């Protein structure tokens, strides 16, 4: 809007980028009741290394609150999200590896989890109410977004093995004390038929993180996918 006479903030989105050889730089500004700006970079070093990075700064928390202020009051000031990573594809081994690290200043710390636990435990409602509230909060957690520090690695084949097999392995550490693990493989059979197997696990290394609010969970999936094409 050119003016906000109706009480609605004007929305502004601006972006600029530049390409220098194989290196790309960009900036973004966004206003919609609050101000956020960001920057990103991607490039290539040699034949096998692709670095990338991005960050965002805002005058409000970039992680939206998922619990009422009456349960846990947190700062509503400025926040920073930043991510740096790279992919590596060596000439031998037929693998590509991705490494990433993310920092989120509005993420939850061990002290935040302690405060949230204490706030729910001190509720004056009838016996069991705090446990139900804890379950309600845990079921609404934005998993993989609340950690202040996150580091991960993904390994996958660079090209299909024997023209039939693809796989990927993933491991992420969600500070302060949670792990997410995933392994997936795909076998291509006759005429667009694929067999897919997936193993996933969330492992709590303690009780001061989002994963610690659940028992350790795991899942195994076996599936067959057949792609059918039609023509007139």
């Amino acid at each position: 809007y050119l003016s906000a006479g109706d009480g609605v903030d004007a929305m502004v989105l601006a972006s600029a980028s530049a390409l220098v050889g194989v290196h790309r730089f960009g900036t973004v500004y966004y206003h919609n009741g609050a101000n956020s700006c960001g920057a990103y970079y991607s490039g290539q070093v040699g034949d096998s290394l692709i670095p990338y990075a991005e960050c965002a700064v805002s005058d409000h928390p970039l992680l939206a609150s998922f619990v009422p202020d009456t349960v846990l009051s947190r700062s509503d000031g400025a926040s920073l999200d930043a991510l740096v990573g790279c992919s590596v594809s060596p000439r031998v081994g037929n693998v590509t590896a991705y490494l990433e690290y993310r920092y989120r200043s509005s993420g939850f710390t061990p002290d935040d989890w302690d405060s949230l636990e204490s706030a729910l435990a001190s509720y004056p409602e009838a016996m069991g109410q705090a446990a139900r509230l804890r379950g309600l909060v845990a079921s609404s957690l934005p998993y993989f977004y609340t950690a202040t520090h996150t580091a991960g690695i993904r390994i996958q084949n660079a090209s299909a093995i024997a023209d039939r097999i693809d796989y990927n392995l993933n491991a992420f550490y969600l500070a302060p004390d949670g792990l997410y693990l995933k392994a997936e493989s795909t076998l291509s059979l006759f005429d667009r038929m694929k067999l897919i197997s997936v193993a996933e696990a969330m492992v709590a290394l303690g009780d001061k993180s989002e994963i610690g609010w659940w028992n350790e969970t795991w899942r195994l999936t076996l599936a067959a996918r057949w792609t059918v094409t039609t023509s007139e």
Side-chain angles (χ1 to χ4, degrees), residues 24 38-39 55 68 102 167 201 230:
R24 180 178 294 277
C55 68
R102 186 187 71 203
Y167 73 88
T230 60

Side-chain angles (χ1 to χ4, degrees), residues 110 113-114 117 134 173-179 202-216:
W113 290 110
D114 278 343
E117 186 85 26
R134 172 175 167 149
Y173 173 58
L174 302 151
D177 51 12
L179 290 175
M202 289 197 300
V203 181
L205 304 179
D207 59 359
K208 294 183 178 180
S209 73
E210 54 185 335
I211 293 178
W213 279 49
W214 292 105
N215 293 325
E216 297 183 0

Side-chain angles (χ1 to χ4, degrees), residues 66-89:
F66 55 89
V67 293
D69 288 340
T70 54
V71 175
L72 179 64
S73 179
R74 306 186 73 230
S75 171
D76 58 357
S79 61
L80 165 70
D81 276 17
L83 179 145
V84 60
C86 67
S87 67
V88 182
S89 300

Side-chain angles (χ1 to χ4, degrees), residues 71 119-120 123 125 128-139 213:
V71 175
L120 293 182
Y123 261 51
E125 282 82 358
Q129 179 66 9
R132 288 193 291 272
L133 284 170
R134 172 175 167 149
L136 178 63
V137 172
S139 65
W213 279 49

